[in-house]
Amino acid sequence: MADFASPTPSPLAFQRAAIAGVGLIGGSVALGLRERGLARRVIGYDASMDVLREAEALGVVDEVQAAPGEWLRECDLVVLAAPMGALGPLAHELAPFLSPDALVTDVGSVKAGIAAELDALGVRGFVPGHPMAGSERGGVTHARAALLENAVWVLTPTEYTSLTALSRARQLVEALGAAPVVMPPEAHDSLVATVSHLPYLVSLALTHLVARDERLSLLAAGGFRDLTRVASGDPRMSRDMVVENREALREALARFRRGLERLEADLERPGDLLAAAAEGKRTRDSLPVVRRSLLPPRHDLVVAMPDRPNQIGAVTQALGEAGVNIKDIEVLAIREEGGALRLGLETAADVARAAALLRGAGYEVRGRG
Amino acid sequence: MADFASPTPSPLAFQRAAIAGVGLIGGSVALGLRERGLARRVIGYDASMDVLREAEALGVVDEVQAAPGEWLRECDLVVLAAPMGALGPLAHELAPFLSPDALVTDVGSVKAGIAAELDALGVRGFVPGHPMAGSERGGVTHARAALLENAVWVLTPTEYTSLTALSRARQLVEALGAAPVVMPPEAHDSLVATVSHLPYLVSLALTHLVARDERLSLLAAGGFRDLTRVASGDPRMSRDMVVENREALREALARFRRGLERLEADLERPGDLLAAAAEGKRTRDSLPVVRRSLLPPRHDLVVAMPDRPNQIGAVTQALGEAGVNIKDIEVLAIREEGGALRLGLETAADVARAAALLRGAGYEVRGRG
């Protein structure tokens, strides 16, 4: 029988996994592989010796390598996890040493470029990937296997991707606890241009409108803050993403501009504008709730809050006394239904325990995740 | 000595105050006038008999009137608090009955139109106003004097506004616990076009891009949700606001478009784009925190959270045990500095007490508001 410390390798198990780029995502993949017994040995490679030392000290990897070399030939899984701008050069650096039987994947947030690059390099076992997970705090220090759990992980095979490689990549993603979604690289890039890169640029343009105007920032209330939050992201990472995806982004920008022009024209047709507003509300209200948080990941519990004093204190105190660790907390404004509190807990078991406790105290609760 | 139940009227005190339109804002003004002893008698007028009955039953007003009439001549304060579209007709309806000595104000969120209309009607005691307060939940049922406390309340005198009327309006706003900010109607409209109406239209256009596309809504994570939240607002109220302010909104749209075009051009100049991204981050990070919440108003305390388990529980528990009522709570992601918790408390005294308590327990805290 397997115990927690040395889990039995799953049927998928890799002999030697190389994580090239041991940051937040690479480190989280390494931890997932180790904790779930998916690889016998996990080897970290990074351009920074400091990062490698930290990864080793934190037990994120079994061993480290400071340069590509023959050691790579024995790896049957290679994950390219460098920042966007460094992925291409990294692939070129490693390609000469890759085993033709290795499953190779990457975690870049734009896919068409890197997919074409690896196709051109003739890396046959390559399956481009994009785990849609992140955290406000980067670096291997904040890596956690749980970061990838329940994350949407897009795989974008090209015409050169073998079905065997794609199938193994899918299994890997599932074994790490994430949800694989398969689509062509161009489709992925067009989608993230619309839901991520366009919103970033829009947010930046809105933010620039209030720069150096005190009266504007005085009147800028909740709505404006919501729309400009992503402009507060890391400038270099944000810049690299939008530049890498500029082609798809330009198309998204063109669609957005046409939509905005239509709305501007509707200012003279109040009936049409009302219909557009109602359609927008319906669409927005039906979006699934997925929030990238400071403290990923979470097991959520939503507690309806009766309109009585100090309900936040009562709920957090009851859980604190029962030893339930509250990782995140959010006041939800739910129209017409009064307020609710969303609690981010550590484990599904915590959610079950907290739910039972609060139900017993007369609260209406709903678990999520 | 005055007790809480029957406060001594302040020197500002009005004899008879008329609240025309007894919804969330009108009702909150009525309650503020009564609770703070600013008017001897508060009279509610509304187009809906049901609303009037509810306002009376809830004790929001002292008496109700179902139609404008001679009773208005005796009112020395008249607050027009109907929804945007109904303000003009309401003013025309009441104007023949207004005393020339009455202070008349309104609470509309766009100012140039109503200001011109009342000037044309010759209502000399009129001071256009816009209390920047709101709630997810509308209607007189949710009216509270506290809704207006600490709110920015813009007053927009015109060339016809007398200094006496402006000065009384300022005193009224301050007596209600809000913060008066004086500027011309056109300046106000241009500012709210930029920080409120443009963001709404942008949010609506973004939302429309994902309508009826399941893959898009699957990939739409936190950032996209932030940017489209305001599209979830009441369609009719949102439509009325942007239509009423369409002139200023068109100018804001033009400025926004130019900014966005510059950013698009910068996709070919990565160095310039990085500078723009860094400038956006600086601006966004320095915006004052003003959040329209389910539970207004607040006295804020920000607590730096050390990276140890169950800090949320520890902080809320300590305050709960000390009897400090936590009205609102928010996890703040502060890059590079770790996390922080924003606590919304009931009074400034609570903030001081909680700060002392938490400092004593080794936390770094900062009070606000």
Side-chain angles (χ1 to χ4, degrees), chain B residues 24-101:
Chain B
L24 178 73
I25 301 290
S28 297
V29 173
L31 284 167
L33 291 172
R34 297 190 66 191
E35 290 175 14
R36 291 164 174 265
L38 303 173
R40 285 193 200 277
R41 196 156 181 83
V42 178
I43 304 161
Y45 162 58
D46 200 283
S48 153
M49 248 339 271
D50 288 345
V51 166
L52 286 180
R53 271 188 220 105
E54 198 169 7
E56 205 168 19
L58 291 167
V60 170
V61 294
D62 295 298
E63 69 174 75
V64 300
Q65 291 286 350
E70 292 303 319
W71 60 271
L72 271 163
R73 294 201 201 280
E74 286 163 53
C75 294
D76 48 357
L77 171 64
V78 178
V79 181
L80 310 178
M84 182 61 67
L87 274 177
L90 177 69
H92 279 269
E93 201 183 24
L94 304 196
F97 302 102
L98 297 176
S99 153
D101 300 326

Side-chain angles (χ1 to χ4, degrees), chain A residues 136 200 208 225 228 232 239 250 257 264 268 270 276 281 284-285 288 290 310 316 325 328 331 335 338, chain B residues 136-137 208 222 225 228 232 239 250 257 264 268 270 276-277 281 284-285 288 310 316 325 328 331 335:
Chain A
E136 299 289 312
Y200 173 71
H208 286 161
R225 289 183 62 83
T228 55
S232 183
R239 191 272 312 261
R250 281 208 195 87
R257 264 198 205 98
E264 182 170 6
E268 300 299 336
K281 177 169 172 54
R284 177 56 176 72
D285 288 349
V290 189
N310 205 19
T316 54
N325 185 358
D328 192 10
V331 175
R335 230 164 294 258
Chain B
E136 300 288 312
R137 300 185 286 183
H208 287 161
R225 289 183 61 81
T228 55
S232 184
R239 191 271 312 260
R250 281 211 192 84
R257 265 200 204 95
E264 182 170 6
E268 301 300 335
K281 178 169 169 54
R284 177 56 176 71
D285 289 350
N310 205 19
T316 55
N325 185 357
D328 193 10
V331 175
R335 232 162 294 258

Side-chain angles (χ1 to χ4, degrees), chain B residues 103 127 155 165-175 178 180-182:
Chain B
L103 172 62
V127 183
L155 296 172
L166 176 59
S167 153
R168 288 176 78 202
R170 277 189 90 120
Q171 283 177 57
L172 171 65
V173 166
E174 279 171 356
V181 174
V182 178

Side-chain angles (χ1 to χ4, degrees), chain B residues 244-296:
Chain B
E244 173 74 21
N245 203 22
R246 61 189 181 281
E247 207 173 308
L249 178 50
R250 281 211 192 84
E251 285 168 27
L253 271 162
R255 283 197 309 274
F256 171 73
R257 265 200 204 95
R258 283 197 298 272
L260 198 58
E261 272 160 24
R262 215 160 26 235
L263 290 175
E264 182 170 6
D266 283 349
L267 289 171
E268 301 300 335
R269 294 188 291 268
D272 291 354
L273 190 55
L274 181 59
E279 159 83 6
K281 178 169 169 54
R282 269 194 305 278
T283 301
R284 177 56 176 71
D285 289 350
S286 67
L287 277 188
V289 177
V290 189
R291 205 175 67 127
R292 295 189 191 181
S293 152
L294 177 68
L295 307 157

